[in-house]
Amino acid sequence: MKELVVISGKGGTGKTSLTASFAALARKAVLADCDVDAADLHLILQPEVRRRESFVSGREAVIREADCAGCGRCAALCRFEAISAVARDSDGARVFRIDSAACEGCGVCTWNCPAKAIDFPERTCGEWFVSATRHGPMVHARLAPGAENSGKLVALVREQARETARQSKRDLVLVDGPPGTGCPVIAAVTNANAILVVTEPTVSGFHDLSRVLQLAAHFRIPAAVCVNKWDIHPDMADRIEDQARSAGAVPVGRVRYGPEATDAQRRKLAVVEAGNSPLADDIRVVWQNWLDSTAESGEKESR
Amino acid sequence: MKVVITSSSQTLAEPIDMHFGRAKYFILADTETGHATAHDNAQNLHAAQGAGIQSAETVAKLGAEAVITGSVGPKAFRALQAAGVKIALVESACPGTEALRRFKDGELPVLDSPNSEGHWV
Amino acid sequence: MSSSPSIAIASGKGGTGKTTVAVHLAAWLAGRGHEIQYLDCDVEEPNGHLFLKPEIKAAEPAAIPVPVVDMNRCTACGKCAAVCEFNAIAMLKKPMVFPELCHGCGACTLVCPVDAIREEPRDIGTVETGLAGPIRFAQGRLNVGEPMSPPLIRAVKIRRDPAAIALFDSPPGTSCPVIATVRAADFIVLVTEPSPFGLHDLTLAVETFRPMGLPFGVVVNRADPADERVQDFCRQQEIPVLAELPDDRRVAETYARGELLFDRLPEWRDRMAALWARIEERL
């Protein structure tokens, strides 16, 4: 089984639009949307949810106000600025509250509360789904607003996608990855067979590409690079491909700037499904080149 | 000698779980007597992070001198080394009984560096 | 007002023009003589510097405190490993610390009965500070391969000087690094674009920020008269639309070069003036 991951470094470069087209071109893939913080692939692929599970990760501290003596030890010990006095009660004692969004789930307040007034329940951080789409099974997820994007949900979506591929006898998992270089991206690329970085010919794209290629090198994953909207700044497109080569990555093609991407999105179609266009042709070439470039790593069993 | 075999079920007849850190069960087996007991590793299966490290701790507490599995990440490797537990590798998910026999016959390579990047850092 | 306001520029979706809005607002405000601080909290991909081109004067490491166990004192009781929610300490023959998993909460130090644990800093990134003309500039740069960004974001934000108007350039999305950025901001500007993806991710951002009780408004970037879905959503939700910035290939081209738009497209000065007026009336 082969697991191919599309990432971008900088957000908004067209990663998901390309992934949707790749899903249509791949035909027999299992799709995984690992951009769990801002998942958009489902807007194109319109999945029918077949299985829905909640995602529980870590814990969060909650003060039982009735038992709280207002001593403030929790607020003094919390290193995440999550606890503050919000009011005084009728006896004049301070009332403390924990900001759930800031709580790191470390338990320091819970273990050290003299009145044992702080509960520490498990935290539901989102949901994940296994669905059917017109281009094959899809595993996707939704992170609860403000939840910690720990990478664990990303790892879980990938694992479920591989499991789905094994069960449905499909030998390709296509992953729409998250932007950035932090924890969710690391979770999306570790042990993958190959990654494709979708970038754009801008100073930001150039800057972020170098960080994301360092990451690929760090985890020893073969990387390919696609310059989207290349004609906005052709010189920069050249520079980006040079940079890619010197970082050991393979340029696999360019996609032009055009309204077709957003138009297709509005019709809930991948660009390659929305009729013939030069943009669609560009995408077909990129997909074929990327597949060819990963042919050698294909025999390595994805873990 | 006591060894732990990572498993997706509670019996040695079933295939080995190839992932050390998030294996569902640890089966503690005695290579002399053949006596085997299953130990649940479910808590680590759901750990937000550091599952491999906690799994290493569990293996050490069970008193095993070696673990038989498919892949071990860098942190679990360091932890197992610190605990003095040897790591023997199978290349595919064979039944636990077969892995144990091959281990006794000295057919399994012993890992001297981690062979997995871990699920995420 | 006793201190100047802080404004976070955020977006549910990446690439909608968050940094474009932030740097132009900063440059326009500075041009009007306001004292401005630009704090780039998008520490995985800090890009504001590419446009503001600051002269970096200082780079300080940002660190989180991680435990070091004094083995001479340690009695191997195992309490430190048991209390760690992040599995950063394993109890083998003695405790073994995995600093890369440590969140720096201090639980182990507090629980150790024999005071055998002290803390040492572990670098996770750098905070760079300098000047971009009159704009006081700070940015975090997360070490590549480092998963934890909120402590670095907090380290950027403590550079905030209440005497200046602060602009926080936020990471995209709605998860913990975004929360770390927008917390304690006086106002959030959400930049979006009129596409199905843009609207969907805006909806998620609204779901995130509304329960936090922070005031926010929306900037529609690359506005398209043929697609008013974002504006319709904002009307329904009673969210102020602060500005509509038209779609213009020249903007994309100028941005690509890392140049500010004011020379080539002077009307952007008026746009920023109008945007600031809409923000100010909500502070």
Side-chain angles (χ1 to χ4, degrees), chain A residues 57 150 152 183 186-187 190-191 219-220 303, chain B residues 46-48 71 115-121:
Chain A
S57 180
S150 66
K152 189 187 162 194
C183 156
I186 294 169
T190 40
N191 295 330
F219 289 103
R220 299 190 298 274
R303 286 191 298 264
Chain B
H46 301 293
S71 64
N115 67 338
S116 162
E117 289 286 358
H119 290 275
W120 57 290
V121 173

Side-chain angles (χ1 to χ4, degrees), chain C residues 60-256:
Chain C
E60 291 166 50
I64 56 171
V66 300
V68 178
V69 183
D70 179 347
M71 292 305 169
N72 294 322
R73 286 193 178 189
C74 176
T75 58
C77 72
K79 286 186 175 154
C80 54
V83 81
C84 180
E85 281 294 320
F86 307 108
N87 288 338
I89 304 180
M91 194 59 207
L92 302 161
K93 282 161 188 159
K94 46 193 183 180
M96 182 174 188
V97 178
F98 291 83
E100 64 271 46
L101 294 183
C102 174
H103 288 220
C105 70
C108 52
T109 323
L110 283 163
V111 79
C112 178
V114 293
D115 277 337
I117 304 181
R118 67 190 161 80
E119 294 181 314
E120 273 186 1
R122 180 177 78 82
D123 287 356
I124 57 166
T126 314
V127 179
E128 296 170 341
T129 48
L131 281 177
I135 300 170
R136 289 150 66 191
F137 180 92
Q139 69 178 359
R141 216 184 256 281
L142 191 68
N143 291 346
V144 171
E146 174 62 55
M148 244 176 286
S149 63
L152 177 56
I153 293 169
R154 289 191 287 267
V156 173
K157 284 180 74 184
I158 55 169
R159 264 69 179 183
R160 157 116 172 89
D161 173 359
I165 298 175
L167 297 175
F168 303 132
D169 191 348
S170 164
T174 57
S175 65
C176 46
V178 181
I179 305 299
T181 302
V182 304
R183 274 190 101 212
D186 294 307
F187 193 79
I188 306 173
V189 175
L190 274 170
V191 184
T192 188
E193 59 184 26
S195 66
F197 291 2
L199 175 60
H200 176 257
D201 297 347
L202 172 67
T203 314
L204 298 178
V206 168
E207 281 175 33
T208 305
F209 296 138
R210 194 162 258 165
M212 294 176 73
L214 294 167
F216 60 89
V218 165
V219 169
V220 185
N221 192 20
R222 299 184 203 112
D224 177 347
D227 190 338
E228 293 265 315
R229 68 184 80 203
V230 169
Q231 288 89 335
D232 292 344
F233 170 79
C234 289
R235 251 191 304 280
Q236 271 166 25
Q237 297 279 322
E238 296 177 2
I239 299 164
V241 175
L242 306 167
E244 295 176 47
L245 306 171
D247 190 19
D248 185 339
R249 188 178 169 123
R250 290 173 304 170
V251 173
E253 287 167 358
T254 313
Y255 172 90

Side-chain angles (χ1 to χ4, degrees), chain B residues 42-56:
Chain B
Q43 201 186 335
N44 283 346
L45 202 63
H46 301 293
Q49 59 172 37
I53 295 165
Q54 292 304 304
S55 291

Side-chain angles (χ1 to χ4, degrees), chain C residues 15-102:
Chain C
T16 55
K18 184 170 52 60
T19 298
T20 304
V21 169
V23 297
H24 287 89
L25 198 54
W28 182 80
L29 283 165
R32 300 280 297 177
H34 291 279
E35 181 112 4
I36 295 295
Q37 238 188 335
Y38 183 94
L39 300 152
D40 198 337
C41 298
D42 190 0
V43 301
E44 291 181 41
E45 312 287 3
N47 283 333
H49 70 102
L50 298 169
F51 303 89
L52 294 175
K53 304 179 175 68
E55 191 190 331
I56 299 297
K57 308 225 160 146
E60 291 166 50
I64 56 171
V66 300
V68 178
V69 183
D70 179 347
M71 292 305 169
N72 294 322
R73 286 193 178 189
C74 176
T75 58
C77 72
K79 286 186 175 154
C80 54
V83 81
C84 180
E85 281 294 320
F86 307 108
N87 288 338
I89 304 180
M91 194 59 207
L92 302 161
K93 282 161 188 159
K94 46 193 183 180
M96 182 174 188
V97 178
F98 291 83
E100 64 271 46
L101 294 183
C102 174

